Amino acid sequence: MTAHLALRTAPAQPGPAQPTPAPRQGNRPQVVTWVILGLLGLYAVAPLLVFASNSLKSAREIDANPLGLPQSWNWANFAVAWEQAGMGRALLNSLVIAGATAVGVALIATAAAYAMTRLGLPGEGGWILWLLVSSSLPIQLFLVPLVSWWSLLGLYNQPIGLIIIYWAVYSPFATLLVRSSLLGLTPAYEEAARLDGAGELRVLTRIVLPMIWPTVLTAALVSGLQAYNEFMLAVTFIQERDFQPVALSLYSFQQGFTTDWSLVGAAGLIMALPVVVLFLTMQRRFIDGYASSGVSG
């Protein structure tokens, strides 16, 4: 009995020490990463903030303190810049040019990409090479012959002439973008539609286009924004003031005899505002279009 109690009350011998589990790291934000992103964000946003701040100052206040906040908010600068720079007419011209460019590039790129991937065109590798080369060549190489041809055809100093050039410049990249999205689609639905008697146009518009719509919209938005911000071709082919886009109107206003940087800042902010609103509204479409085309990955 005593031995049995001694066995029950004897202390247990310590075993080998178990390793202490390491604390979980979890998804803690990396401090260095956040610092770098914050600095890059500040680098990108700071000039815009200074630009917006100067648009609300007077010319004397900009000369005294160009980087500080405005002491009095001169909202009248926007009305004066709108009238003196002719921003209303210029914005309308830019919206027409950018909209026509976006629609035309979307149609050209969709039709070309569908023909390359579904219609069995001979020499597909040659077409891809041509698109890559044409999208990489600088447009400055073609300015002199284009000015000569456009003058003979009556397209010089006309918005439609500039729009046609934008179609040619922006369509190669858009075609490659839409083509990459088409390559990811299975042709089963298209074959079923052809068995039911659908033609190629109906297959493209009713079957294929709804599935690649985000990519087509992305191509249209990118080309439209590029046409809205483009300057070199516009200043070369548009000389008539009534047809000038907003980039040329802002440049002409900036090159005045007495430059008022507060009014220039207000006019520049008016020019940038439609693009900023469009991007903030359609940013998810941009991301979806690039993700569905496979460009982002």
Side-chain angles (χ1 to χ4, degrees), residues 54-232:
N54 288 339
S55 66
L56 296 171
K57 297 178 181 178
S58 62
R60 181 178 300 179
E61 192 174 354
I62 291 178
D63 293 336
N65 187 12
L67 299 179
L69 294 176
Q71 297 179 357
S72 60
W73 301 74
N74 296 325
W75 296 101
N77 289 342
F78 293 95
V80 175
W82 179 275
E83 182 179 356
Q84 292 187 3
M87 298 299 292
R89 180 182 62 251
L91 278 175
L92 181 60
N93 294 336
S94 288
L95 291 178
V96 171
I97 293 174
T101 300
V103 173
V105 168
L107 293 176
I108 295 171
T110 303
Y114 183 79
M116 293 173 61
T117 57
R118 295 299 192 267
L119 300 185
L121 292 180
E124 182 182 355
W127 290 109
I128 296 176
L129 179 62
W130 180 80
L131 290 175
L132 292 174
V133 172
S134 61
S135 61
S136 61
L137 290 177
I139 190 59
Q140 290 87 344
L141 294 175
F142 309 99
L143 285 182
V144 174
L146 276 176
V147 170
S148 177
W149 295 343
W150 259 226
S151 299
L152 292 176
L153 295 174
L155 296 175
Y156 185 79
N157 209 22
Q158 296 293 329
I160 184 60
L162 184 61
I163 291 170
I164 293 174
I165 296 175
Y166 286 157
W167 288 347
V169 172
Y170 302 137
S171 291
F173 171 77
T175 302
L176 294 174
L177 184 68
V178 178
R179 176 184 174 273
S180 63
S181 182
L182 279 171
L183 292 176
L185 294 181
T186 175
Y189 295 105
E190 305 164 37
E191 294 173 358
R194 292 188 184 96
L195 290 177
D196 291 338
E200 292 298 333
L201 183 60
R202 183 177 292 272
V203 171
L204 173 61
T205 56
R206 298 294 181 87
I207 306 299
V208 176
L209 188 58
M211 292 189 289
I212 63 171
W213 178 247
T215 306
V216 175
L217 182 60
T218 299
L221 291 174
V222 169
S223 59
L225 290 177
Q226 288 176 329
Y228 183 87
N229 295 318
E230 202 277 328
F231 178 79
M232 185 191 67

Side-chain angles (χ1 to χ4, degrees), residues 213-214 217-218 221 281-290:
W213 178 247
L217 182 60
T218 299
L221 291 174
T281 305
M282 307 295 292
Q283 60 177 337
R284 181 168 293 276
R285 299 291 184 181
F286 278 105
I287 298 173
D288 292 343
Y290 276 113

